[in-house]
Amino acid sequence: MIILAIESSCDETAAAVMENDEHLLANIINSQIDLHGKYGGVVPELASRKHLEDIYPVVERALQEANITLDQVDGLAITQGPGLIGSLLVGLSFAKALSLVKKIPYVGVDHMAGHLFSAFLAEKKPSFPYIALVASGGHSSLFHVTSFQQFSVIGRTRDDAAGEAFDKVAKILGLPYPGGPIISKLSAQGNPSAIKFPRSWLAKDSLDFSFSGLKTSVANYVNQHRESAVTTDMNPGPQTADICASFQEAVVDVLSSKAIRAAKNFGVKDVVLCGGVAANPRLRELLLERGQNNGMEVFMPPIEFCTDNAAMIALAGFHRFQQKAAVTTYDMDVYSRSTMPQPNL
Ligand code: KG4
Ligand code: ZN
């Protein structure tokens, strides 16, 4: 089965072509980072307008790279939600038009399901059941994944997502958007124990996250030490690297501890890390170390499959097509918030 997938839930316009769930024939990603950078975050209205401009050429490039025409496509897989409504609508409307004109069936794919199964795009694949930590600018969630059809949220952030915390702290420090890459770079020159920033563990045994208290704590510290903390004209202050390293350590400590705790609670041996924050070298190192110490195997797909992409939507879409009831109708709509089931823990 040849699947053409489209992802447009946030600030990447992406299209991929995949044969079954194994052979990735094309994977095109057009990032809007330059457009949103000067605003310090994604501006939804600008994002949807840019998707509108980019979707046609991105899909066309994916077909060209895969060396196929639309007539060879057996199914369309489209991100249905969660995400920015205007952005999602561009992808879904485009897919509906293709589907109607070319008579190609389509399925809606949950963006989080895409992330959860992105681990299968790597050579070394996890086995069911596994725990997945999805940490990005929009999500910080833990999932218990038992099959391609069954997965549930077992923990989520109660306020900011991990990547969002990196982006906001970068802004406080006068660093450019997105904050994650620059903070992790500066952290390598800083002391992670220099400043004691708080870790929010929430209730005992809770698998939820909270990063807004940490962000406020960094903001308070920076306000009290403005001269040495803030970056001016791209020159970090004498304390900037220590603040970055201490903040980063607090985030990755909580993320990795809760992922390992989740695997223990569910008696699971495989742990998957994905989402844009998975690009953080310290998070990768710590999760790997803690996984090994607990006899677990940690899977980290290549970064191009961790950040938003359409290859993961193609793979999850292929498995939706395997469930006959999942094939959707033309009155299908997008959704902004997750509809995933949550078990009573
Ligand atoms: O998955 P992604 O590309 O887009 C979504 O948010 O869905 O993730 C982007 C997020 C941003 O918040 C960015 O700051 C963060 O991932 N990020 C990082 C790193 N690289 C990107 N966070 C921490 N360390 C990094 N090296
Ligand atoms: Zn995402």
Side-chain angles (χ1 to χ4, degrees):
M1 180 174 196
I2 301 277
I3 308 256
L4 169 63
I6 297 173
E7 153 65 39
S8 66
S9 64
C10 189
D11 60 343
E12 270 99 17
T13 318
V17 179
M18 200 162 177
E19 189 179 354
N20 298 332
D21 60 347
E22 282 168 290
H23 304 293
L24 185 59
L25 305 177
N27 188 32
I28 308 294
I29 303 172
N30 195 69
S31 169
Q32 303 180 356
I33 278 187
D34 294 345
L35 174 70
H36 301 288
K38 55 179 174 286
Y39 303 104
V42 178
V43 183
E45 182 59 30
L46 294 182
S48 44
R49 287 186 206 185
K50 188 80 173 90
H51 283 303
L52 212 49
E53 278 174 28
D54 291 345
I55 193 148
Y56 193 103
V58 164
V59 170
E60 199 169 39
R61 262 177 60 208
L63 292 170
Q64 272 166 5
E65 194 173 298
N67 203 15
I68 59 161
T69 65
L70 270 180
D71 294 323
Q72 290 164 271
V73 174
D74 300 304
L76 301 165
I78 316 303
T79 305
Q80 195 180 352
L84 302 172
I85 288 293
S87 297
L88 288 162
L89 272 174
V90 174
L92 180 64
S93 309
F94 192 84
K96 281 182 179 175
L98 281 185
S99 170
L100 267 169
V101 173
K102 289 290 187 182
K103 311 233 173 333
I104 310 170
Y106 74 99
V107 286
V109 173
D110 189 278
H111 180 81
M112 301 309 284
H115 276 303
L116 296 184
F117 300 128
S118 64
F120 289 91
L121 292 164
E123 251 168 51
K124 196 177 119 199
K125 300 176 197 330
S127 310
F128 295 117
Y130 62 82
I131 295 294
L133 168 62
V134 185
S136 72
H139 347 271
S140 285
S141 307
L142 281 164
F143 294 86
H144 182 227
V145 188
T146 46
S147 73
F148 283 114
Q149 282 76 41
Q150 273 188 319
F151 40 86
S152 48
V153 191
I154 53 171
R156 57 164 44 134
T157 182
R158 297 198 183 163
D159 37 62
D160 294 344
E164 193 180 354
F166 272 92
D167 297 337
K168 287 179 176 170
V169 163
K171 203 168 182 179
I172 292 166
L173 289 169
L175 296 167
Y177 172 86
I182 181 83
I183 287 185
S184 60
K185 207 167 138 207
L186 286 169
S187 293
Q189 300 145 30
N191 173 7
S193 320
I195 305 143
K196 281 261 157 294
F197 287 129
R199 275 101 167 121
S200 180
W201 299 106
L202 302 170
K204 192 174 171 294
D205 292 336
S206 170
L207 294 174
D208 281 351
F209 300 104
S210 168
F211 296 110
S212 72
L214 170 61
K215 177 193 65 192
T216 307
S217 184
V218 175
N220 289 339
Y221 187 89
V222 171
N223 281 335
Q224 284 156 16
H225 304 82
R226 282 214 80 75
E227 303 238 314
S228 58
V230 172
T231 297
T232 28
D233 301 327
M234 296 305 279
N235 294 316
Q239 272 205 86
T240 311
D242 281 349
I243 297 170
C244 287
S246 303
F247 157 76
Q248 173 180 274
E249 197 63 15
V251 175
V252 304
D253 184 15
V254 176
L255 286 176
S256 55
S257 295
K258 294 213 174 198
I260 299 296
R261 185 192 295 169
K264 276 189 193 162
N265 288 0
F266 284 82
V268 163
K269 289 269 171 255
D270 286 2
V271 177
V272 168
L273 171 65
C274 49
V277 183
N280 188 281
R282 180 64 186 140
L283 175 58
R284 297 171 84 87
E285 179 185 61
L286 198 58
L287 187 60
L288 210 55
E289 182 189 310
R290 290 180 170 172
Q292 274 164 1
N293 290 344
N294 287 280
M296 292 162 190
E297 193 153 8
V298 177
F299 296 79
M300 295 180 279
I303 300 302
E304 59 175 325
F305 300 135
C306 283
T307 53
D308 287 351
N309 66 86
M312 66 182 193
I313 303 302
L315 191 136
F318 171 79
H319 290 282
R320 292 278 286 168
F321 272 111
Q322 305 310 300
Q323 306 167 261
K324 294 232 159 32
V327 178
T328 38
T329 54
Y330 288 107
D331 59 3
M332 184 180 106
D333 206 352
V334 295
Y335 52 86
S336 62
R337 289 179 166 272
S338 185
T339 56
M340 283 220 183
Q342 289 185 66
N344 292 321
L345 294 173

